[in-house]
Amino acid sequence: MVPNPHNYTLLLERWKPIVDRNGWHSHELGQDGGHKIVAFENEAAKQCSTGGFYLSAGVHGDECAPVWALLKWAESIEPTSRLHSRPLVIMPCLNPHGFIQNTRFDSRGTDLNRNFQNAEMPLIGEWQRLLHGRQFDLAVNLHEDYDAAGIYLYELSRKQSIGDTLLSACEEIIPRETASEIDGTEMVNGLLERTDDIERIANEELGGWPESIWLYLKHSTNACTFETPSEMDLDRRIEAHQRFIKTATLAHLP
Ligand SMILES: [Zn+2]
């Protein structure tokens, strides 16, 4: 249970002991509305630019369950976990202004998730520099949807799809979305797959690059965007996101 789900100070306080005990490195990517935006990477990510995981939450500030789920998942990593030997880069909350204000946008009214190509934005410029030259096995982007009644997943993959397996692991917590399309894209049993035409979709249909598309085209073999219905009970949403992160990372460990 989270006492105030939009308390950014509390969020950073809870990340600090995790970062300290694991010896992770912290980067300040910038500030928005006076709130610093941080990124963490483990020692393996510092040493090696290939493989491992990129995990991100809080791009849309009104989607708070993923932010707490990512924290709780990180709190639960055992010292003996094989994850520590793989590169791990974490964005705990890329939009602190939106998170505090419970709004989708940053302090300038910008939807970050249509601007990951836009290096003229100071945050995005720093973010691109941090990721320069890296190639992950998996990028995970955690979101919520206030129109949805169940969980669903956008999967961008250069390997055989494991999206159905990932949804199966989470559906005992929240059932799958039953709609047959989301924003004009066909969805089958909660899974949306895109394999081609992705850059054109980002530029022409979406009007800018979501985090997942930038990551998939430039930095990752696979990119998953997992969504929970944001009108549902917060604890269940947090639990579903935790389960998703755990299952997706374990599935991609060599
Ligand atoms: Zn979102």
Side-chain angles (χ1 to χ4, degrees):
M1 186 66 189
V2 181
N4 176 355
H6 295 279
N7 186 335
Y8 188 60
T9 304
L10 174 67
L11 179 77
L12 292 186
E13 279 172 7
R14 289 206 27 198
W15 271 103
K16 190 168 185 313
I18 305 170
V19 171
D20 289 347
R21 82 166 168 263
N22 289 306
W24 292 352
H25 306 270
S26 185
H27 302 273
E28 188 169 329
L29 297 178
Q31 299 210 351
D32 189 33
H35 308 288
K36 67 177 179 179
I37 304 161
V38 294
F40 307 128
E41 64 174 332
N42 69 356
E43 186 61 26
K46 200 104 180 149
Q47 301 293 335
C48 178
S49 59
T50 306
F53 305 99
Y54 171 97
L55 308 171
S56 174
V59 168
H60 291 140
D62 55 345
E63 302 167 9
C64 65
V67 174
W68 297 104
L70 186 53
L71 169 87
K72 292 177 117 183
W73 170 80
E75 284 175 338
S76 74
I77 303 175
E78 300 285 342
T80 54
S81 171
R82 286 184 296 151
L83 275 167
H84 296 294
S85 66
R86 309 296 300 159
L88 186 59
V89 174
I90 294 176
M91 306 289 151
C93 182
L94 277 172
N95 179 6
H97 168 85
F99 181 70
I100 293 163
Q101 299 294 325
N102 194 16
T103 170
R104 182 178 179 90
F105 307 104
D106 75 358
S107 69
R108 289 167 201 80
T110 303
D111 183 343
L112 292 178
N113 217 29
R114 297 292 181 271
N115 280 280
F116 279 88
Q117 83 290 0
N118 185 0
E120 290 177 5
M121 286 179 66
L123 166 64
I124 302 301
E126 277 305 308
W127 180 84
Q128 288 186 3
R129 267 187 286 283
L130 182 68
L131 296 185
H132 183 76
R134 294 183 194 264
Q135 190 66 34
F136 299 99
D137 292 325
L138 174 68
V140 174
N141 303 101
L142 303 169
H143 283 262
E144 300 202 90
D145 183 342
Y146 59 78
D147 287 327
I151 56 172
Y152 64 93
L153 172 65
Y154 291 96
E155 184 183 37
L156 299 167
S157 180
R158 294 185 176 86
K159 295 187 173 169
Q160 192 178 0
S161 168
I162 60 161
D164 193 60
T165 304
L166 300 179
L167 286 166
S168 292
C170 303
E171 68 185 337
E172 66 177 12
I173 304 166
I174 299 176
R176 299 185 197 213
E177 172 65 42
T178 55
S180 58
E181 67 164 46
I182 295 278
D183 296 335
T185 303
E186 185 192 11
M187 179 160 68
V188 178
N189 210 8
L191 184 60
L192 302 101
E193 293 178 88
R194 286 181 183 142
T195 51
D196 51 16
D197 214 18
I198 293 167
E199 190 163 349
R200 187 196 62 77
I201 289 169
N203 287 324
E204 295 177 18
E205 293 183 17
L206 301 176
W209 292 46
E211 187 180 22
S212 63
I213 288 185
W214 182 273
L215 288 161
Y216 179 69
L217 292 180
K218 299 189 180 290
H219 295 292
S220 191
T221 306
N222 304 297
C224 286
T225 302
F226 180 63
E227 306 254 2
T228 48
S230 58
E231 297 296 304
M232 198 169 270
D233 174 70
L234 177 59
D235 287 337
R236 277 176 73 189
R237 287 148 52 205
I238 292 173
E239 195 184 344
H241 278 280
Q242 270 183 271
R243 178 75 63 86
F244 183 84
I245 303 164
K246 184 178 179 183
T247 311
T249 49
L250 288 178
H252 286 83
L253 276 176

